[in-house]
Amino acid sequence: MRVLLVGAGGVGTAITRIAARRSFFDHIIVADYDLSRAEAAVAALDDAGARFSTARIDASDQAAVTALLTRERCDVLLNATDPRFVMPLFEAALAAGAHYLDMAMSLSYPHPERPYEECGVKLGDAQFARAAEWEEAGRLALVGVGVEPGLSDVFARYAAEELFDEIEEIGVRDGANLTVDGHDFAPSFSIWTTIEECLNPPVIWEKERGWFTTAPFSEPEVFDFPEGIGPVECVNVEHEEVLLIPRWVDAERVTFKYGLGDEFIETLKTLHKLGLDRTEKVTVGGARVSPRDVVAACLPDPATLGDRMHGKTCAGTWVKGAKDGKPREVYLYHVVDNQWSMREYGSQAVVWQTAINPVIALELVAAGSWTGSGVLGAEAFDPRPFLDLLNEYGSPWGLRDQ
């Protein structure tokens, strides 16, 4: 398998460090708009770098990405960029006859009149609209296969197959107790993506109603996270699982809630009030800039925070339903300790936890354990090989009866 990895930021770099320890691929080309980032990622791999090379690419240039895929004879494109670049990369892979994987799906757009009640353009709609073309080409677009979405969706499918006969609700719940020395406000993941997720109307799925929206940060609840993280208040946030899980898993209701904290929420609300969450460019001193890009440039790069970060992050899927006629409630989860991920891989916990999952998915595709064509999410596949590999990679998952 020859892989084009587009994006050498925190997640992309962590992907190279995880993949370098595995033997399922022949070569990975690490490509980024900033060639020095790609070169730094490969240079850090020591002897394993023999299976890696670098290239400069503009992820928004579909024709250039198609040409690179063709020239390098790549079997698959792994997208480790932010959601702005999903569609050109997705289309480039199809044009080049390659498979495609990403960790975030095509962007949503709120309903113009009723944004907090009805869906407008949903996450992933642009990709699912092209499913027939992918099926006809016999190529797989495996979408949303990071940690959330991704591992959380695998958990949902596993619960449906092995733990429940009927499911009342599937609720993805994400929380952490991470702190960063020397920073009052330092997001552990891309601020561009965080703003997009948190300020858009969250989506909820109900079998009798379909997809609908609510106000940002709605329905707060306190969720008790495992392995010493403890109780964290979680709120509704727009996320791909709600758009993916109901397509393949039978449940009465699907939600996503994220543990943000009051200070983080107030900061995001302030950015919104000031218009600093906007992506439309404005003129500043003769230059055209996006306010959201300026915010991102002013904050520390999440990938550089690992040495000053402490604590654990938890991603998981809470499921409520019945088994053998009796009520059951479980939480399937994956916890990463930042001290461990920094010591073992030199990557901070949040980006490492995101990165391990597409590497596992690539290995399953390479081995023929996951096969298919069209636009599919992780919950469309057998969950057991994925969870077995997660253990084999040295980062086990857990299950707690609630």
Side-chain angles (χ1 to χ4, degrees):
M1 172 182 279
R2 290 179 63 84
V3 180
L4 175 62
L5 169 62
V6 182
V11 173
T13 296
I15 285 171
T16 65
R17 294 171 181 175
I18 296 166
R21 302 188 184 189
R22 308 297 295 183
S23 61
F24 68 88
F25 67 94
D26 299 308
H27 196 82
I28 293 180
I29 300 97
V30 184
D32 197 280
Y33 185 80
D34 182 349
L35 182 59
S36 66
R37 293 207 307 178
E39 291 173 338
V42 171
L45 298 177
D46 300 323
D47 292 341
R51 290 189 296 157
F52 294 79
S53 60
T54 62
R56 184 191 179 281
I57 197 69
D58 180 348
S60 68
D61 188 339
Q62 180 181 325
V65 177
T66 301
L68 181 59
L69 283 163
T70 303
R71 184 168 67 251
E72 294 287 351
R73 298 174 289 108
C74 292
D75 304 291
V76 61
L77 187 158
L78 173 52
N79 176 4
T81 66
D82 72 52
R84 288 173 291 180
F85 304 108
V86 162
M87 288 312 295
L89 295 176
F90 175 83
E91 295 289 1
L94 179 60
H99 299 303
Y100 169 87
L101 281 76
D102 65 29
M103 290 160 273
M105 297 182 69
S106 59
L107 292 170
S108 66
Y109 298 93
H111 191 282
E113 284 87 34
R114 296 162 59 87
Y116 303 137
E117 296 166 306
E118 297 182 26
C119 295
V121 175
K122 301 187 299 300
L123 290 168
D125 275 358
Q127 290 172 282
F128 282 116
R130 298 280 280 151
E133 285 81 2
W134 281 85
E135 290 175 11
E136 290 169 7
R139 292 293 179 266
L140 171 63
L142 179 48
V143 295
V145 70
V147 59
E148 292 175 335
L151 178 57
S152 51
D153 305 64
V154 172
F155 284 149
R157 177 65 180 263
Y158 175 80
E161 288 193 356
E162 302 200 23
L163 305 180
F164 290 85
D165 298 321
E166 300 175 0
I167 295 177
E168 179 181 332
E169 182 169 351
I170 296 173
V172 180
R173 298 293 184 265
D174 181 310
N177 60 0
L178 295 169
T179 59
V180 181
D181 294 339
H183 292 281
D184 293 328
F185 184 75
S188 58
F189 202 71
S190 163
I191 188 61
W192 201 101
T193 303
T194 301
I195 290 172
E196 184 75 16
E197 292 175 348
C198 294
L199 293 179
N200 277 350
V203 180
I204 294 172
W205 159 268
E206 292 181 357
K207 184 177 286 189
E208 298 301 319
R209 187 174 174 182
W211 286 293
F212 63 94
T213 58
T214 182
F217 316 120
S218 59
E219 299 181 2
E221 67 175 59
V222 175
F223 193 86
D224 187 17
F225 289 92
E227 298 194 21
I229 295 174
V232 178
E233 185 177 79
C234 299
V235 294
N236 279 321
V237 169
E238 181 191 50
H239 233 250
E240 287 91 342
E241 291 94 327
V242 179
L243 287 311
L244 287 169
I245 289 172
R247 297 174 188 268
W248 289 283
V249 178
D250 187 23
E252 296 295 321
R253 178 178 165 93
V254 181
T255 58
F256 178 95
K257 292 187 179 182
Y258 194 9
L260 294 172
D262 291 340
E263 183 180 11
F264 199 98
I265 290 173
E266 287 306 312
T267 300
L268 292 174
K269 287 180 176 179
T270 300
L271 291 174
H272 179 63
K273 288 178 182 178
L274 297 174
L276 294 175
D277 61 326
R278 292 167 51 197
T279 58
E280 301 83 4
K281 291 184 177 180
V282 298
T283 301
V284 180
R288 298 283 291 168
V289 296
S290 158
R292 193 185 299 184
D293 288 342
V294 173
V295 171
C298 291
L299 289 171
D301 180 352
T304 67
L305 298 175
D307 290 335
R308 288 163 284 169
M309 187 180 288
H310 310 279
K312 299 176 181 179
T313 184
C314 178
T317 304
W318 162 75
V319 187
K320 180 180 180 181
K323 178 68 173 178
D324 298 327
K326 299 178 181 179
R328 190 176 192 190
E329 192 173 338
V330 303
Y331 183 58
L332 301 102
Y333 63 89
H334 182 244
V335 172
V336 178
D337 186 317
N338 186 74
Q339 184 178 4
W340 175 85
S341 64
M342 286 298 297
R343 182 179 67 250
E344 293 293 320
Y345 287 89
S347 296
Q348 57 102 320
V350 176
V351 299
W352 189 90
Q353 188 182 46
T354 303
I356 188 174
N357 298 287
V359 179
I360 290 174
L362 275 176
E363 183 159 348
L364 292 174
V365 171
S369 300
W370 278 12
T371 61
S373 61
V375 180
L376 303 174
E379 54 278 278
F381 298 92
D382 182 358
R384 176 52 73 177
F386 192 104
L387 295 175
D388 288 345
L389 268 185
L390 188 61
N391 289 333
E392 184 181 311
Y393 275 51
S395 189
W397 59 284
L399 188 156
R400 180 182 71 188
D401 278 288
Q402 299 288 87

